[in-house]
Amino acid sequence: MTRIRPGLCSVTFRELAPEQIIALAADAGLEAIEWGGDVHVPPGDVVRAAEVARATADAGLAVASYGSYFRAGADEPLTPVLDAAQALGADRVRVWAGRTGSDAATEADGAAVVARLQAAASEAEARGIGLALEFHSGTLADTAPATLRLLAAVGSPALSTYWQPTVAASVETALAEYRLLAPHTSAVHVFSWWPERDRLPLRARDALWTRFAAAARAEASPPRDALLEFVPGDDPALLAGEAAALREYLGAPA
């Protein structure tokens, strides 16, 4: 059975330097970090990316992925994103499916995003890098059915998706969304927001994360990474407890 790695999104602590984030993750017993492209590893900055890669490896951690803010715009370059990802040693880049929700997008909007994602996936695949959609409101990957339609339209084996619980969704609804996307899910963003955007400890939604872990382990190809994203109050002191809960859900070594 493939084990899911417990990890951390660096954007959880945007105000901290990469070296501080690495120390926190290692001390918390996490195994991998998704490095964000907005602050910690900017697109095109291959020198900084290489420095962060070395520091991550020196701490015994893996680079899970590169969290980009590429939005699949028609004239939006992907090359600087891939340059940073490659220097970082990331084999997966998180991308966004446009700037319009699936209900509001016109046929032309959808066609433009599909065409750009097809070109982007081809460019990434040529460099040995996969792309993965951010499963998020305000994009064409905002619901499970919409994400499946988008993946089918792009039609590239280099494109997968992330999953995270939809804000305000019940446990049953969130899990149903995951089960639909599971065959295409390469990573999961882990947090407990309830009932809307209130950031709670993971244990506040024990039923969700316990049942997610059981469903994921039952998959023939479970997501490679489960990445903590956000902690209550953005408090670094809470990471150890959140990481312990995540490792327990995943059955990872203590």
Side-chain angles (χ1 to χ4, degrees), residues 10-17 21 38-40 69 230:
S10 76
V11 298
T12 303
F13 302 117
R14 281 190 170 93
E15 302 304 315
L16 299 184
I21 293 169
D38 57 345
V39 174
H40 297 122
Y69 292 88
F230 310 119

Side-chain angles (χ1 to χ4, degrees), residues 1 9 21 26 28 40 63 71-72 89 103 143 166 180 194 208 249:
M1 180 176 65
C9 296
I21 293 169
H40 297 122
V63 172
R71 288 274 185 168
D103 283 349
T143 70
T166 298
L180 282 173
W194 191 258
L208 170 62
Y249 294 137

Side-chain angles (χ1 to χ4, degrees), residues 3-4 40 113 119 125 151 170 184 193 229 240 244 248:
R3 191 171 65 82
I4 304 169
H40 297 122
V113 170
E125 189 174 24
L151 289 168
S170 68
H184 308 280
W193 289 9
E229 186 183 38
E248 183 177 327

Side-chain angles (χ1 to χ4, degrees), residues 53-134:
R54 284 193 297 271
T56 304
D58 287 348
L61 302 173
V63 172
S65 44
Y66 182 61
S68 87
Y69 292 88
F70 174 80
R71 288 274 185 168
D75 299 320
E76 187 178 1
L78 181 67
T79 301
V81 170
L82 296 178
D83 289 343
Q86 198 158 45
L88 193 57
D91 65 357
R92 181 180 63 220
V93 173
R94 185 199 66 193
V95 299
W96 297 65
R99 299 177 180 273
T100 306
S102 59
D103 283 349
T106 65
E107 186 174 336
D109 292 333
V113 170
V114 167
R116 187 65 189 97
L117 285 174
Q118 286 173 331
S122 179
E123 182 182 355
E125 189 174 24
R127 297 174 67 163
I129 296 172
L131 303 181
L133 300 169
E134 173 83 0

Side-chain angles (χ1 to χ4, degrees), residues 31-254:
E31 298 177 22
I33 299 176
E34 174 177 281
W35 288 106
D38 57 345
V39 174
H40 297 122
V41 181
D45 192 343
V46 296
V47 172
R48 186 55 173 152
E51 291 171 349
V52 171
R54 284 193 297 271
T56 304
D58 287 348
L61 302 173
V63 172
S65 44
Y66 182 61
S68 87
Y69 292 88
F70 174 80
R71 288 274 185 168
D75 299 320
E76 187 178 1
L78 181 67
T79 301
V81 170
L82 296 178
D83 289 343
Q86 198 158 45
L88 193 57
D91 65 357
R92 181 180 63 220
V93 173
R94 185 199 66 193
V95 299
W96 297 65
R99 299 177 180 273
T100 306
S102 59
D103 283 349
T106 65
E107 186 174 336
D109 292 333
V113 170
V114 167
R116 187 65 189 97
L117 285 174
Q118 286 173 331
S122 179
E123 182 182 355
E125 189 174 24
R127 297 174 67 163
I129 296 172
L131 303 181
L133 300 169
E134 173 83 0
F135 180 63
H136 202 281
S137 60
T139 74
L140 294 184
D142 55 358
T143 70
T147 303
L148 291 175
R149 289 194 299 271
L150 181 59
L151 289 168
V154 175
S156 171
L159 183 65
S160 62
T161 189
Y162 280 37
W163 173 81
Q164 63 189 30
T166 298
V167 172
S170 68
V171 170
E172 293 297 339
T173 297
L175 290 172
E177 290 176 331
Y178 170 68
R179 291 189 184 100
L180 282 173
L181 294 177
H184 308 280
T185 299
S186 57
V188 170
H189 282 164
V190 178
F191 54 83
S192 287
W193 289 9
W194 191 258
E196 291 286 341
R197 295 182 179 274
D198 295 333
R199 297 182 182 183
L200 305 178
L202 287 188
R203 292 293 189 192
R205 302 200 78 189
D206 235 4
L208 170 62
W209 293 114
T210 299
R211 292 174 63 186
F212 156 75
R217 286 195 296 266
E219 287 292 321
S221 297
R224 184 176 68 183
D225 301 301
L227 305 166
L228 288 166
E229 186 183 38
F230 310 119
V231 295
D234 299 332
D235 186 353
L238 299 182
L239 181 61
E242 295 294 271
L246 177 59
R247 293 199 314 272
E248 183 177 327
Y249 294 137
L250 300 178

